[in-house]
Amino acid sequence: MAAMSVLYNGKMKKFLPLSKASGEEIAAIKRWTDYKSCQMIRDCFFFGEIEDIYSYNDARVIDSMFEKYDSFLDKNESIYRGIRFKNSDQKIFEEVVSNLECSLEMRTSIEIDKAPASFTREFDIAKEEFALVHDPNYRSLIFELVSREDGELFIKEYAGDFSYQDEIIIKSHKSLYEVLAIDKDGDTVYIKIKEVRDEKKNK
């Protein structure tokens, strides 16, 4: 696939397919697919909670890739993210839900993460494997992202045993989102969102 041109901040911007990624970029993506390494990448670069030169470099590489590559998937295809909270974190869970409800009511845009975030094309993966909706030890959030911008990494080809998860890394740390709907089912909250362009973040 050749580079695709898209209108970006009033200018034409070209994205490459991920098959054009360098060895360093592919190595960083593969480390992202490992749960422990992914947490270190997020905590080191985006949250500054640990110091690790290898994780910092992986994060820097992945961060730069959103400006170069795109999945070329349908950006109006719903993708999903499941998040679980231990019952001991009930107050945090309730605060997150309250903030989402406020955003819906006030029609304000929000951040959903301060780091890149992994979504999946498979609803059941988000629900069962990540949100753990049937585990009574957790409360669950499931995001459905119904519309998004270009500049995302579809890493199925590099995910090895986890390729079945159809994982997409999105630039959630560089984007804002509008909450479209919130539904509750017991200890599970479903949030429908769409990405809205944030000119300040994308300059």
Side-chain angles (χ1 to χ4, degrees):
M1 181 185 291
M4 177 181 288
S5 296
V6 297
L7 190 63
Y8 191 81
N9 287 344
K11 300 178 181 178
M12 294 305 292
K13 181 179 180 68
K14 287 188 176 181
F15 288 95
L16 294 170
L18 201 55
S19 59
K20 302 292 185 182
S22 69
E24 181 184 40
E25 291 169 333
I26 292 172
I29 287 175
K30 287 185 175 180
R31 282 189 285 272
W32 179 275
T33 64
D34 175 81
Y35 180 79
K36 184 176 180 180
S37 297
C38 180
Q39 291 303 113
M40 289 182 68
I41 289 169
R42 286 169 54 86
D43 292 345
C44 181
F45 186 83
F46 300 101
F47 294 95
E49 294 179 358
I50 63 171
E51 293 184 12
D52 179 76
I53 186 63
Y54 299 106
S55 297
Y56 185 91
N57 186 64
D58 287 341
R60 180 190 58 79
V61 169
I62 290 172
D63 189 50
S64 68
M65 291 178 72
F66 296 111
E67 303 299 321
K68 297 170 59 177
Y69 302 100
D70 187 59
S71 69
F72 302 103
L73 297 173
D74 179 2
K75 298 303 187 285
N76 292 313
E77 170 197 12
S78 286
I79 58 175
Y80 308 91
R81 183 186 187 193
I83 305 174
R84 58 184 181 266
F85 294 77
K86 294 180 180 178
N87 286 336
S88 58
D89 293 328
Q90 178 179 346
K91 289 185 178 180
I92 298 174
F93 174 81
E94 291 175 349
E95 181 178 350
V96 170
V97 173
S98 177
N99 288 338
L100 291 165
E101 290 174 334
C102 182
S103 176
L104 175 62
E105 180 180 353
M106 302 298 293
R107 296 296 179 186
T108 56
S109 55
I110 59 166
E111 290 182 334
I112 60 169
D113 207 327
K114 295 186 181 299
S118 290
F119 277 67
T120 173
R121 301 173 79 187
E122 302 296 329
F123 174 73
D124 286 343
I125 296 293
K127 182 178 179 181
E128 304 295 340
E129 292 197 24
F130 296 104
L132 295 180
V133 295
H134 296 306
D135 190 326
N137 296 305
Y138 296 96
R139 293 167 181 253
S140 307
L141 295 180
I142 300 177
F143 286 98
E144 177 185 0
L145 178 55
V146 301
S147 177
R148 59 201 193 273
E149 302 286 340
D150 299 283
E152 63 183 14
L153 311 175
F154 182 39
I155 64 172
K156 180 183 181 75
E157 181 179 349
Y158 308 100
D161 292 341
F162 298 100
S163 62
Y164 71 92
Q165 294 178 347
D166 271 359
E167 182 177 351
I168 302 169
I169 310 174
I170 68 167
K171 56 184 189 304
S172 52
H173 61 309
K174 296 183 175 182
S175 302
L176 292 175
Y177 300 85
E178 178 184 345
V179 179
L180 303 176
I182 297 176
D183 294 303
K184 298 181 180 180
D185 181 10
D187 289 333
T188 302
V189 180
Y190 299 88
I191 309 101
K192 186 175 294 186
I193 58 174
K194 72 174 183 180
E195 184 178 353
V196 293
R197 187 170 296 282
D198 181 1
E199 299 298 343
K200 291 182 180 179
K201 286 192 174 188
N202 285 295
K203 282 183 178 180

